[in-house]
Amino acid sequence: MKFILALALACYFSSGDGVVYICDSSLSVAYHFKRDCRGLNNCKHEVIKTNQADAEKLGLKICGWED
Ligand SMILES: [Zn+2]
């Protein structure tokens, strides 16, 4: 069951807009493509892995620190 779920998630992410990272803080305004982004270094909360579409739904904008 877990395997099927993982497979479904893998398909979901590959067909989506890609994996992004967000800081689990009410103050966060951006999502990041890199886990080690400078913007995430300031995160005092948990860093959550999600996808770009969901991050946009949360009202987050692309981070300005990315290359
Ligand atoms: Zn960033």
Side-chain angles (χ1 to χ4, degrees):
M1 194 61 185
K2 266 186 179 169
F3 176 71
I4 294 169
L5 184 64
L7 207 64
L9 280 173
C11 289
Y12 179 65
F13 281 121
S14 62
S15 65
D17 292 317
V19 173
V20 298
Y21 299 92
I22 59 173
C23 182
D24 185 21
S25 163
S26 56
L27 296 174
S28 61
V29 293
Y31 57 82
H32 313 262
F33 289 117
K34 293 177 194 164
R35 174 62 184 82
D36 58 352
C37 174
R38 287 167 65 182
L40 277 175
N41 287 341
N42 297 326
C43 182
K44 301 285 188 290
H45 301 260
E46 208 173 338
V47 174
I48 298 171
K49 193 177 176 182
T50 182
N51 64 73
Q52 193 171 6
D54 279 356
E56 299 259 353
K57 273 182 227 162
L58 291 171
L60 302 175
K61 304 292 178 201
I62 187 166
C63 164
W65 293 112
E66 313 286 340
D67 294 330

Short mmCIF file of all heavy atoms in Angstrom, two decimals:
data_model
loop_
_atom_site.label_atom_id
_atom_site.label_comp_id
_atom_site.label_asym_id
_atom_site.label_seq_id
_atom_site.Cartn_x
_atom_site.Cartn_y
_atom_site.Cartn_z
N MET A 1 0.83 -1.22 0.00
CA MET A 1 0.00 0.00 0.00
C MET A 1 0.87 1.26 0.00
O MET A 1 0.64 2.18 -0.75
CB MET A 1 -0.92 -0.02 1.24
CG MET A 1 -2.04 1.01 1.15
SD MET A 1 -3.16 0.73 -0.26
CE MET A 1 -4.21 2.16 -0.13
N LYS A 2 1.89 1.23 0.84
CA LYS A 2 2.80 2.38 0.90
C LYS A 2 3.53 2.56 -0.42
O LYS A 2 3.78 3.66 -0.86
CB LYS A 2 3.83 2.17 2.03
CG LYS A 2 3.40 2.81 3.34
CD LYS A 2 4.50 2.71 4.35
CE LYS A 2 4.07 3.39 5.64
NZ LYS A 2 4.98 3.10 6.74
N PHE A 3 3.88 1.44 -1.03
CA PHE A 3 4.59 1.49 -2.29
C PHE A 3 3.74 2.15 -3.38
O PHE A 3 4.21 2.99 -4.13
CB PHE A 3 4.99 0.08 -2.73
CG PHE A 3 5.65 0.03 -4.07
CD1 PHE A 3 6.94 0.52 -4.24
CD2 PHE A 3 4.99 -0.49 -5.16
CE1 PHE A 3 7.55 0.49 -5.48
CE2 PHE A 3 5.60 -0.53 -6.41
CZ PHE A 3 6.88 -0.04 -6.56
N ILE A 4 2.47 1.78 -3.43
CA ILE A 4 1.54 2.34 -4.42
C ILE A 4 1.38 3.84 -4.19
O ILE A 4 1.39 4.63 -5.12
CB ILE A 4 0.17 1.63 -4.34
CG1 ILE A 4 0.32 0.17 -4.78
CG2 ILE A 4 -0.86 2.35 -5.21
CD1 ILE A 4 -0.89 -0.68 -4.50
N LEU A 5 1.30 4.21 -2.94
CA LEU A 5 1.16 5.63 -2.60
C LEU A 5 2.40 6.40 -3.05
O LEU A 5 2.31 7.47 -3.64
CB LEU A 5 0.96 5.78 -1.08
CG LEU A 5 0.71 7.21 -0.60
CD1 LEU A 5 -0.60 7.74 -1.17
CD2 LEU A 5 0.67 7.25 0.92
N ALA A 6 3.57 5.82 -2.79
CA ALA A 6 4.82 6.46 -3.18
C ALA A 6 4.89 6.62 -4.69
O ALA A 6 5.34 7.63 -5.21
CB ALA A 6 6.00 5.64 -2.68
N LEU A 7 4.43 5.60 -5.38
CA LEU A 7 4.43 5.62 -6.84
C LEU A 7 3.50 6.71 -7.36
O LEU A 7 3.84 7.45 -8.27
CB LEU A 7 3.96 4.25 -7.34
CG LEU A 7 4.47 3.81 -8.72
CD1 LEU A 7 5.98 3.65 -8.68
CD2 LEU A 7 3.83 2.48 -9.10
N ALA A 8 2.34 6.81 -6.73
CA ALA A 8 1.37 7.82 -7.14
C ALA A 8 1.93 9.21 -6.89
O ALA A 8 1.77 10.11 -7.72
CB ALA A 8 0.07 7.64 -6.36
N LEU A 9 2.61 9.39 -5.78
CA LEU A 9 3.21 10.68 -5.45
C LEU A 9 4.31 11.02 -6.44
O LEU A 9 4.43 12.15 -6.87
CB LEU A 9 3.77 10.65 -4.02
CG LEU A 9 2.74 10.86 -2.91
CD1 LEU A 9 3.40 10.63 -1.56
CD2 LEU A 9 2.13 12.24 -2.97
N ALA A 10 5.09 10.01 -6.81
CA ALA A 10 6.18 10.22 -7.76
C ALA A 10 5.62 10.69 -9.09
O ALA A 10 6.16 11.61 -9.71
CB ALA A 10 6.97 8.93 -7.93
N CYS A 11 4.53 10.07 -9.51
CA CYS A 11 3.89 10.47 -10.76
C CYS A 11 3.34 11.88 -10.63
O CYS A 11 3.46 12.68 -11.54
CB CYS A 11 2.74 9.52 -11.09
SG CYS A 11 3.29 7.90 -11.61
N TYR A 12 2.75 12.14 -9.49
CA TYR A 12 2.16 13.46 -9.25
C TYR A 12 3.22 14.54 -9.35
O TYR A 12 3.05 15.55 -10.01
CB TYR A 12 1.50 13.46 -7.87
CG TYR A 12 0.87 14.79 -7.50
CD1 TYR A 12 -0.22 15.28 -8.21
CD2 TYR A 12 1.38 15.53 -6.43
CE1 TYR A 12 -0.79 16.49 -7.86
CE2 TYR A 12 0.82 16.73 -6.09
CZ TYR A 12 -0.27 17.22 -6.80
OH TYR A 12 -0.83 18.42 -6.47
N PHE A 13 4.36 14.30 -8.72
CA PHE A 13 5.40 15.32 -8.71
C PHE A 13 6.05 15.48 -10.09
O PHE A 13 6.37 16.57 -10.50
CB PHE A 13 6.47 14.99 -7.67
CG PHE A 13 6.05 15.36 -6.27
CD1 PHE A 13 5.97 14.41 -5.27
CD2 PHE A 13 5.72 16.67 -5.98
CE1 PHE A 13 5.58 14.77 -3.99
CE2 PHE A 13 5.31 17.04 -4.70
CZ PHE A 13 5.24 16.07 -3.71
N SER A 14 6.23 14.37 -10.78
CA SER A 14 6.89 14.46 -12.08
C SER A 14 6.00 15.14 -13.12
O SER A 14 6.48 15.76 -14.05
CB SER A 14 7.30 13.07 -12.56
OG SER A 14 6.16 12.27 -12.72
N SER A 15 4.68 15.03 -12.92
CA SER A 15 3.77 15.66 -13.87
C SER A 15 3.44 17.09 -13.47
O SER A 15 2.85 17.84 -14.23
CB SER A 15 2.49 14.84 -13.99
OG SER A 15 1.79 14.87 -12.76
N GLY A 16 3.81 17.43 -12.23
CA GLY A 16 3.51 18.77 -11.72
C GLY A 16 4.57 19.78 -12.13
O GLY A 16 5.29 19.58 -13.10
N ASP A 17 4.65 20.83 -11.38
CA ASP A 17 5.58 21.90 -11.72
C ASP A 17 6.94 21.73 -11.06
O ASP A 17 7.76 22.62 -11.11
CB ASP A 17 4.98 23.24 -11.32
CG ASP A 17 3.78 23.59 -12.17
OD1 ASP A 17 3.85 23.40 -13.39
OD2 ASP A 17 2.78 24.04 -11.62
N GLY A 18 7.17 20.62 -10.42
CA GLY A 18 8.45 20.38 -9.81
C GLY A 18 8.45 20.58 -8.31
O GLY A 18 7.56 21.23 -7.75
N VAL A 19 9.43 20.01 -7.68
CA VAL A 19 9.54 20.07 -6.23
C VAL A 19 10.11 21.40 -5.78
O VAL A 19 11.06 21.90 -6.37
CB VAL A 19 10.42 18.92 -5.72
CG1 VAL A 19 10.68 19.05 -4.22
CG2 VAL A 19 9.76 17.59 -6.03
N VAL A 20 9.50 21.96 -4.77
CA VAL A 20 10.03 23.19 -4.17
C VAL A 20 10.04 23.02 -2.66
O VAL A 20 9.41 22.11 -2.12
CB VAL A 20 9.20 24.43 -4.56
CG1 VAL A 20 9.22 24.67 -6.06
CG2 VAL A 20 7.77 24.33 -4.06
N TYR A 21 10.75 23.90 -1.98
CA TYR A 21 10.84 23.85 -0.53
C TYR A 21 10.29 25.14 0.04
O TYR A 21 10.55 26.22 -0.48
CB TYR A 21 12.29 23.67 -0.10
CG TYR A 21 12.90 22.39 -0.62
CD1 TYR A 21 13.57 22.38 -1.83
CD2 TYR A 21 12.76 21.21 0.09
CE1 TYR A 21 14.11 21.19 -2.32
CE2 TYR A 21 13.28 20.04 -0.39
CZ TYR A 21 13.96 20.03 -1.60
OH TYR A 21 14.47 18.86 -2.09
N ILE A 22 9.51 24.98 1.11
CA ILE A 22 8.97 26.17 1.77
C ILE A 22 9.24 26.09 3.26
O ILE A 22 9.35 25.00 3.82
CB ILE A 22 7.45 26.33 1.52
CG1 ILE A 22 6.67 25.12 2.04
CG2 ILE A 22 7.17 26.53 0.03
CD1 ILE A 22 5.17 25.29 1.98
N CYS A 23 9.33 27.25 3.87
CA CYS A 23 9.52 27.32 5.31
C CYS A 23 8.14 27.31 5.97
O CYS A 23 7.26 28.07 5.59
CB CYS A 23 10.26 28.61 5.67
SG CYS A 23 10.58 28.77 7.43
N ASP A 24 7.96 26.43 6.96
CA ASP A 24 6.68 26.29 7.63
C ASP A 24 6.48 27.42 8.65
O ASP A 24 6.42 27.19 9.85
CB ASP A 24 6.59 24.93 8.32
CG ASP A 24 5.22 24.70 8.93
OD1 ASP A 24 4.26 25.36 8.49
OD2 ASP A 24 5.10 23.86 9.83
N SER A 25 6.42 28.63 8.12
CA SER A 25 6.24 29.80 8.97
C SER A 25 5.18 30.70 8.36
O SER A 25 5.07 30.81 7.14
CB SER A 25 7.56 30.57 9.08
OG SER A 25 7.31 31.87 9.55
N SER A 26 4.39 31.34 9.21
CA SER A 26 3.36 32.24 8.71
C SER A 26 3.98 33.48 8.06
O SER A 26 3.32 34.21 7.34
CB SER A 26 2.43 32.67 9.85
OG SER A 26 3.19 33.24 10.89
N LEU A 27 5.28 33.67 8.32
CA LEU A 27 5.97 34.83 7.77
C LEU A 27 6.59 34.55 6.41
O LEU A 27 7.04 35.47 5.73
CB LEU A 27 7.07 35.29 8.74
CG LEU A 27 6.60 35.79 10.10
CD1 LEU A 27 7.80 36.08 10.99
CD2 LEU A 27 5.74 37.03 9.96
N SER A 28 6.63 33.29 6.01
CA SER A 28 7.30 32.97 4.74
C SER A 28 6.47 33.48 3.56
O SER A 28 5.25 33.39 3.55
CB SER A 28 7.54 31.47 4.64
OG SER A 28 6.33 30.77 4.68
N VAL A 29 7.17 34.02 2.59
CA VAL A 29 6.51 34.61 1.43
C VAL A 29 6.98 33.97 0.12
O VAL A 29 6.49 34.30 -0.94
CB VAL A 29 6.74 36.13 1.36
CG1 VAL A 29 6.06 36.82 2.52
CG2 VAL A 29 8.23 36.45 1.35
N ALA A 30 7.96 33.08 0.21
CA ALA A 30 8.56 32.54 -1.00
C ALA A 30 8.76 31.04 -0.93
O ALA A 30 8.82 30.45 0.14
CB ALA A 30 9.90 33.22 -1.25
N TYR A 31 8.85 30.43 -2.10
CA TYR A 31 9.24 29.02 -2.18
C TYR A 31 10.59 28.94 -2.88
O TYR A 31 11.00 29.87 -3.57
CB TYR A 31 8.19 28.17 -2.90
CG TYR A 31 7.85 28.60 -4.29
CD1 TYR A 31 8.64 28.23 -5.39
CD2 TYR A 31 6.71 29.37 -4.54
CE1 TYR A 31 8.31 28.61 -6.67
CE2 TYR A 31 6.36 29.77 -5.82
CZ TYR A 31 7.17 29.38 -6.89
OH TYR A 31 6.85 29.77 -8.15
N HIS A 32 11.27 27.82 -2.66
CA HIS A 32 12.65 27.69 -3.11
C HIS A 32 12.86 26.40 -3.87
O HIS A 32 12.31 25.37 -3.50
CB HIS A 32 13.60 27.72 -1.90
CG HIS A 32 13.29 28.84 -0.94
ND1 HIS A 32 13.96 30.03 -0.94
CD2 HIS A 32 12.35 28.95 0.02
CE1 HIS A 32 13.46 30.83 -0.01
NE2 HIS A 32 12.48 30.20 0.59
N PHE A 33 13.69 26.46 -4.91
CA PHE A 33 13.99 25.27 -5.68
C PHE A 33 15.08 24.45 -5.02
O PHE A 33 15.18 23.26 -5.23
CB PHE A 33 14.41 25.63 -7.10
CG PHE A 33 13.27 26.15 -7.93
CD1 PHE A 33 13.27 27.44 -8.44
CD2 PHE A 33 12.17 25.33 -8.19
CE1 PHE A 33 12.21 27.90 -9.21
CE2 PHE A 33 11.11 25.79 -8.95
CZ PHE A 33 11.12 27.08 -9.46
N LYS A 34 15.89 25.09 -4.23
CA LYS A 34 17.00 24.40 -3.59
C LYS A 34 16.79 24.36 -2.09
O LYS A 34 16.47 25.37 -1.47
CB LYS A 34 18.31 25.13 -3.89
CG LYS A 34 18.71 25.08 -5.35
CD LYS A 34 19.98 25.88 -5.53
CE LYS A 34 20.24 26.17 -7.00
NZ LYS A 34 21.23 27.24 -7.13
N ARG A 35 17.07 23.18 -1.53
CA ARG A 35 16.93 23.00 -0.08
C ARG A 35 17.96 23.86 0.67
O ARG A 35 17.72 24.27 1.80
CB ARG A 35 17.11 21.51 0.26
CG ARG A 35 17.14 21.17 1.73
CD ARG A 35 15.83 21.52 2.40
NE ARG A 35 15.90 21.28 3.84
CZ ARG A 35 16.44 22.14 4.70
NH1 ARG A 35 16.98 23.27 4.26
NH2 ARG A 35 16.45 21.88 5.99
N ASP A 36 19.09 24.10 0.03
CA ASP A 36 20.15 24.85 0.72
C ASP A 36 20.18 26.32 0.29
O ASP A 36 21.20 26.99 0.37
CB ASP A 36 21.51 24.19 0.48
CG ASP A 36 21.85 24.10 -1.00
OD1 ASP A 36 20.96 24.41 -1.83
OD2 ASP A 36 22.98 23.73 -1.32
N CYS A 37 19.04 26.81 -0.20
CA CYS A 37 18.96 28.20 -0.62
C CYS A 37 19.22 29.16 0.55
O CYS A 37 18.89 28.85 1.70
CB CYS A 37 17.56 28.47 -1.18
SG CYS A 37 17.29 30.19 -1.59
N ARG A 38 19.80 30.29 0.23
CA ARG A 38 20.09 31.29 1.27
C ARG A 38 18.82 31.72 2.00
O ARG A 38 18.85 32.00 3.19
CB ARG A 38 20.73 32.52 0.62
CG ARG A 38 22.15 32.29 0.17
CD ARG A 38 22.62 33.42 -0.72
NE ARG A 38 22.69 34.70 -0.02
CZ ARG A 38 23.04 35.84 -0.59
NH1 ARG A 38 23.33 35.86 -1.86
NH2 ARG A 38 23.09 36.95 0.10
N GLY A 39 17.72 31.81 1.24
CA GLY A 39 16.46 32.22 1.84
C GLY A 39 15.97 31.26 2.89
O GLY A 39 15.32 31.65 3.86
N LEU A 40 16.27 29.97 2.71
CA LEU A 40 15.82 28.96 3.67
C LEU A 40 16.73 28.87 4.88
O LEU A 40 16.35 28.34 5.91
CB LEU A 40 15.74 27.59 2.99
CG LEU A 40 14.45 27.32 2.21
CD1 LEU A 40 14.57 25.99 1.49
CD2 LEU A 40 13.24 27.31 3.12
N ASN A 41 17.94 29.40 4.76
CA ASN A 41 18.85 29.38 5.90
C ASN A 41 18.30 30.19 7.06
O ASN A 41 18.62 29.94 8.21
CB ASN A 41 20.22 29.93 5.49
CG ASN A 41 20.98 28.95 4.62
OD1 ASN A 41 20.66 27.77 4.60
ND2 ASN A 41 21.95 29.44 3.89
N ASN A 42 17.45 31.16 6.72
CA ASN A 42 16.87 32.02 7.76
C ASN A 42 15.66 31.38 8.42
O ASN A 42 15.11 31.92 9.36
CB ASN A 42 16.45 33.36 7.15
CG ASN A 42 17.64 34.12 6.60
OD1 ASN A 42 18.73 34.04 7.13
ND2 ASN A 42 17.42 34.85 5.52
N CYS A 43 15.22 30.26 7.87
CA CYS A 43 14.01 29.60 8.38
C CYS A 43 14.24 29.01 9.76
O CYS A 43 15.12 28.17 9.93
CB CYS A 43 13.57 28.51 7.40
SG CYS A 43 12.06 27.68 7.92
N LYS A 44 13.44 29.45 10.72
CA LYS A 44 13.57 28.94 12.08
C LYS A 44 12.57 27.82 12.32
O LYS A 44 12.50 27.26 13.41
CB LYS A 44 13.30 30.06 13.10
CG LYS A 44 14.25 31.23 12.95
CD LYS A 44 15.63 30.91 13.50
CE LYS A 44 16.51 32.14 13.53
NZ LYS A 44 16.90 32.56 12.18
N HIS A 45 11.79 27.50 11.30
CA HIS A 45 10.78 26.46 11.43
C HIS A 45 11.15 25.28 10.54
O HIS A 45 12.21 25.27 9.94
CB HIS A 45 9.40 27.03 11.04
CG HIS A 45 8.99 28.20 11.88
ND1 HIS A 45 8.12 28.09 12.93
CD2 HIS A 45 9.36 29.50 11.83
CE1 HIS A 45 7.96 29.28 13.48
NE2 HIS A 45 8.71 30.16 12.83
N GLU A 46 10.23 24.36 10.42
CA GLU A 46 10.48 23.20 9.59
C GLU A 46 10.45 23.58 8.12
O GLU A 46 9.67 24.43 7.71
CB GLU A 46 9.39 22.16 9.86
CG GLU A 46 9.83 20.73 9.63
CD GLU A 46 8.77 19.74 10.08
OE1 GLU A 46 7.93 20.11 10.91
OE2 GLU A 46 8.78 18.63 9.57
N VAL A 47 11.31 22.94 7.34
CA VAL A 47 11.29 23.14 5.89
C VAL A 47 10.48 22.01 5.26
O VAL A 47 10.75 20.84 5.51
CB VAL A 47 12.72 23.16 5.32
CG1 VAL A 47 12.67 23.21 3.80
CG2 VAL A 47 13.49 24.35 5.87
N ILE A 48 9.48 22.38 4.51
CA ILE A 48 8.56 21.41 3.93
C ILE A 48 8.81 21.27 2.44
O ILE A 48 8.99 22.26 1.74
CB ILE A 48 7.10 21.86 4.15
CG1 ILE A 48 6.80 21.94 5.64
CG2 ILE A 48 6.14 20.90 3.48
CD1 ILE A 48 5.46 22.58 5.94
N LYS A 49 8.80 20.04 1.98
CA LYS A 49 8.94 19.75 0.55
C LYS A 49 7.56 19.69 -0.06
O LYS A 49 6.69 18.96 0.43
CB LYS A 49 9.66 18.41 0.41
CG LYS A 49 10.16 18.10 -0.97
CD LYS A 49 10.91 16.78 -0.90
CE LYS A 49 11.37 16.34 -2.27
NZ LYS A 49 12.04 15.04 -2.20
N THR A 50 7.33 20.45 -1.09
CA THR A 50 6.03 20.44 -1.75
C THR A 50 6.25 20.66 -3.24
O THR A 50 7.35 20.46 -3.73
CB THR A 50 5.10 21.51 -1.13
OG1 THR A 50 3.83 21.45 -1.76
CG2 THR A 50 5.68 22.90 -1.26
N ASN A 51 5.22 21.02 -3.96
CA ASN A 51 5.43 21.30 -5.38
C ASN A 51 5.05 22.74 -5.68
O ASN A 51 4.35 23.39 -4.90
CB ASN A 51 4.67 20.30 -6.26
CG ASN A 51 3.18 20.42 -6.09
OD1 ASN A 51 2.57 21.37 -6.54
ND2 ASN A 51 2.58 19.46 -5.41
N GLN A 52 5.50 23.21 -6.80
CA GLN A 52 5.37 24.63 -7.14
C GLN A 52 3.91 25.07 -7.19
O GLN A 52 3.56 26.15 -6.71
CB GLN A 52 6.06 24.91 -8.47
CG GLN A 52 6.24 26.38 -8.74
CD GLN A 52 7.11 26.64 -9.96
OE1 GLN A 52 7.49 25.71 -10.66
NE2 GLN A 52 7.43 27.88 -10.21
N ALA A 53 3.06 24.22 -7.74
CA ALA A 53 1.64 24.58 -7.88
C ALA A 53 1.01 24.81 -6.51
O ALA A 53 0.27 25.78 -6.31
CB ALA A 53 0.91 23.48 -8.64
N ASP A 54 1.31 23.92 -5.56
CA ASP A 54 0.74 24.07 -4.22
C ASP A 54 1.31 25.29 -3.52
O ASP A 54 0.61 25.98 -2.78
CB ASP A 54 1.03 22.82 -3.39
CG ASP A 54 0.05 21.69 -3.71
OD1 ASP A 54 -0.88 21.94 -4.50
OD2 ASP A 54 0.22 20.59 -3.18
N ALA A 55 2.59 25.56 -3.73
CA ALA A 55 3.21 26.73 -3.13
C ALA A 55 2.55 28.01 -3.63
O ALA A 55 2.28 28.94 -2.86
CB ALA A 55 4.70 26.75 -3.43
N GLU A 56 2.24 28.02 -4.92
CA GLU A 56 1.57 29.20 -5.51
C GLU A 56 0.18 29.36 -4.91
O GLU A 56 -0.29 30.48 -4.67
CB GLU A 56 1.47 29.03 -7.02
CG GLU A 56 2.82 28.93 -7.72
CD GLU A 56 3.22 30.24 -8.37
OE1 GLU A 56 2.41 31.16 -8.40
OE2 GLU A 56 4.36 30.32 -8.86
N LYS A 57 -0.49 28.23 -4.67
CA LYS A 57 -1.83 28.27 -4.07
C LYS A 57 -1.79 28.88 -2.68
O LYS A 57 -2.76 29.50 -2.22
CB LYS A 57 -2.42 26.86 -3.99
CG LYS A 57 -3.15 26.43 -5.25
CD LYS A 57 -3.75 25.05 -5.06
CE LYS A 57 -3.45 24.15 -6.24
NZ LYS A 57 -3.64 22.73 -5.92
N LEU A 58 -0.67 28.70 -1.98
CA LEU A 58 -0.50 29.26 -0.65
C LEU A 58 -0.16 30.75 -0.71
O LEU A 58 -0.01 31.41 0.30
CB LEU A 58 0.60 28.52 0.10
CG LEU A 58 0.30 27.07 0.51
CD1 LEU A 58 1.55 26.40 1.04
CD2 LEU A 58 -0.81 27.03 1.54
N GLY A 59 -0.03 31.26 -1.93
CA GLY A 59 0.26 32.67 -2.09
C GLY A 59 1.74 33.00 -2.06
O GLY A 59 2.13 34.16 -1.96
N LEU A 60 2.56 31.95 -2.17
CA LEU A 60 4.01 32.16 -2.13
C LEU A 60 4.54 32.50 -3.51
O LEU A 60 4.03 32.04 -4.53
CB LEU A 60 4.70 30.91 -1.59
CG LEU A 60 4.24 30.46 -0.21
CD1 LEU A 60 4.89 29.14 0.16
CD2 LEU A 60 4.55 31.51 0.84
N LYS A 61 5.58 33.31 -3.53
CA LYS A 61 6.23 33.69 -4.78
C LYS A 61 7.59 33.05 -4.87
O LYS A 61 8.18 32.67 -3.85
CB LYS A 61 6.40 35.22 -4.85
CG LYS A 61 5.10 35.99 -4.69
CD LYS A 61 4.20 35.78 -5.87
CE LYS A 61 2.87 36.52 -5.68
NZ LYS A 61 1.81 35.96 -6.53
N ILE A 62 8.11 32.97 -6.07
CA ILE A 62 9.43 32.38 -6.23
C ILE A 62 10.47 33.22 -5.50
O ILE A 62 10.43 34.45 -5.52
CB ILE A 62 9.77 32.22 -7.73
CG1 ILE A 62 11.06 31.45 -7.88
CG2 ILE A 62 9.82 33.57 -8.43
CD1 ILE A 62 11.28 30.97 -9.29
N CYS A 63 11.39 32.52 -4.88
CA CYS A 63 12.43 33.18 -4.09
C CYS A 63 13.38 33.98 -4.97
O CYS A 63 13.69 33.57 -6.08
CB CYS A 63 13.18 32.11 -3.32
SG CYS A 63 14.74 32.65 -2.67
N GLY A 64 13.84 35.10 -4.48
CA GLY A 64 14.73 35.94 -5.26
C GLY A 64 16.19 35.57 -5.16
O GLY A 64 17.02 36.12 -5.87
N TRP A 65 16.52 34.60 -4.30
CA TRP A 65 17.92 34.24 -4.10
C TRP A 65 18.40 33.15 -5.04
O TRP A 65 19.60 32.87 -5.09
CB TRP A 65 18.16 33.76 -2.66
CG TRP A 65 17.99 34.82 -1.63
CD1 TRP A 65 17.00 34.87 -0.68
CD2 TRP A 65 18.82 35.96 -1.39
NE1 TRP A 65 17.17 35.97 0.09
CE2 TRP A 65 18.27 36.65 -0.31
CE3 TRP A 65 19.97 36.44 -2.01
CZ2 TRP A 65 18.84 37.82 0.18
CZ3 TRP A 65 20.54 37.62 -1.53
CH2 TRP A 65 19.97 38.29 -0.44
N GLU A 66 17.49 32.51 -5.74
CA GLU A 66 17.90 31.39 -6.61
C GLU A 66 18.78 31.89 -7.74
O GLU A 66 18.68 33.03 -8.17
CB GLU A 66 16.65 30.71 -7.20
CG GLU A 66 15.55 30.41 -6.20
CD GLU A 66 15.90 29.25 -5.27
OE1 GLU A 66 16.78 28.47 -5.61
OE2 GLU A 66 15.28 29.16 -4.20
N ASP A 67 19.60 31.00 -8.24
CA ASP A 67 20.48 31.35 -9.35
C ASP A 67 19.68 31.62 -10.60
O ASP A 67 18.72 30.93 -10.88
CB ASP A 67 21.47 30.21 -9.64
CG ASP A 67 22.42 30.03 -8.47
OD1 ASP A 67 22.70 31.04 -7.79
OD2 ASP A 67 22.85 28.90 -8.26
ZN ZN B 1 15.30 30.52 -2.22
#
